Amino acid sequence: MSQDEVLRALGPLLRWAEVVQLNAVYNFTTLPTLLVAKALDRPVIWSTRGALQRWKGVRKPGPKSAWEAACRLVAPRRLVLHCTSEEERAESAGRFPRAEAVVIPNGVPLPEAPPARAPADHLRLLYLGRLHPIKGIDNLILACAALAGRALPFSLVIAGEGEPAYTEALRALVREHGLGAQISLVGAVKGEAKARLFAGADLVVAPSHSENFGIVIAEALAHALPVIAGKGTPWRGLEEQGAGLWVSNDPAS
């Protein structure tokens, strides 16, 4: 559907609906959806997916703040923010203080049985997710450079895709530190290939500067893999439950 067709459909659809679920923040449909819901007095459940959280490298903070101010003006009186962690709830509620904010974590499917994991003669690390500066992948590569300096045998698979310029910057960082033999960028991986990646790893690393949830961490745990997560993720429970480490977002940590 075109944008015009979507906007024309909003009125009839929201008149029909008893509850509206909104899944976008900085999207052209967000403001009109909130406005029509307010006019029709429809309750809205808004799954913001971490968009209301901030980190030091956030793009366009000024326009985003202005957009949020406009959303606050047109928000319906019955508005619930659906968050996936306490950290996301606290930050999102601060931006929409009149809305109720609730935490409903994401779920992941569990394998029928723990995967068979063949032993290896080196430490097999796995990063799985979007390739973006917020994910802290550069810090992970620099940490691997430190491992190589200690003569610790390891490999790292970086699975995921992102903007070509950033992906090439990561490849250049790997080359700069002479890690081409240990680190491979394999692109997007899904389905059975993703399960094979988990089965062929000893440890998942999630060094994000900011996450509302971090679905790959839950997936790793479901596949019986320990995780090292950055403190930008809401996973302090890794250490509390003996399932991994929750460390500062820097290469040395």
Side-chain angles (χ1 to χ4, degrees):
M1 296 176 70
S2 68
Q3 292 186 0
D4 288 343
E5 290 172 328
V6 170
L7 292 175
R8 285 197 297 270
L10 274 178
L13 285 173
L14 266 67
R15 288 189 186 92
W16 167 83
E18 295 178 337
V19 179
V20 177
Q21 183 170 10
L22 185 59
N23 283 282
V25 176
Y26 310 110
N27 184 282
F28 85 98
T29 60
T30 302
L31 279 172
T33 299
L34 292 173
L35 185 60
V36 174
K38 182 175 184 177
L40 297 175
D41 194 27
R42 294 295 189 268
V44 173
I45 300 168
W46 196 358
S47 299
T48 56
R49 306 300 178 192
L52 297 177
Q53 293 177 276
R54 294 287 188 268
W55 71 293
K56 62 181 180 181
V58 67
R59 296 179 180 179
K60 302 178 180 178
K64 285 183 176 180
S65 294
W67 181 265
E68 291 158 12
C71 290
R72 286 193 293 271
L73 285 175
V74 301
R77 65 182 180 89
R78 293 183 289 173
L79 176 64
V80 176
L81 301 178
H82 163 216
C83 306
T84 53
S85 65
E86 283 295 335
E87 289 82 352
E88 184 189 8
R89 186 203 63 75
E91 196 163 352
S92 300
R95 299 187 183 283
F96 285 83
R98 291 189 296 173
E100 181 183 358
V102 299
V103 176
I104 305 174
N106 292 325
V108 296
L110 296 174
E112 293 183 4
R117 187 163 288 111
D121 59 359
H122 65 282
L123 179 65
R124 298 168 296 182
L125 307 173
L126 172 63
Y127 169 86
L128 180 62
R130 184 166 56 112
L131 305 188
H132 186 279
I134 198 173
K135 301 297 185 177
I137 307 166
D138 53 337
N139 281 341
L140 175 55
I141 294 172
L142 294 176
C144 286
L147 288 180
R150 297 176 185 177
L152 176 66
F154 74 93
S155 64
L156 167 64
V157 174
I158 298 176
E161 57 187 0
E163 293 182 1
Y166 181 67
T167 302
E168 181 51 37
L170 293 177
R171 294 186 188 278
L173 189 60
V174 171
R175 292 193 297 268
E176 177 187 341
H177 290 277
L179 296 170
Q182 292 101 331
I183 300 179
S184 56
L185 282 77
V186 299
V189 177
K190 299 179 181 179
E192 288 299 318
K194 184 176 177 181
R196 287 194 295 270
L197 274 184
F198 284 129
D202 300 305
L203 182 67
V204 166
V205 188
S208 296
H209 294 289
S210 180
E211 289 281 0
N212 62 309
F213 185 76
I215 194 72
V216 69
I217 299 174
E219 291 177 329
L221 297 176
H223 285 80
L225 276 174
V227 179
I228 296 177
K231 288 190 175 178
T233 73
W235 284 87
R236 70 174 67 238
L238 287 170
E239 293 191 341
E240 296 169 355
Q241 301 296 328
L245 300 174
W246 191 60
V247 301
S248 298
N249 292 71
D250 60 75
S253 297

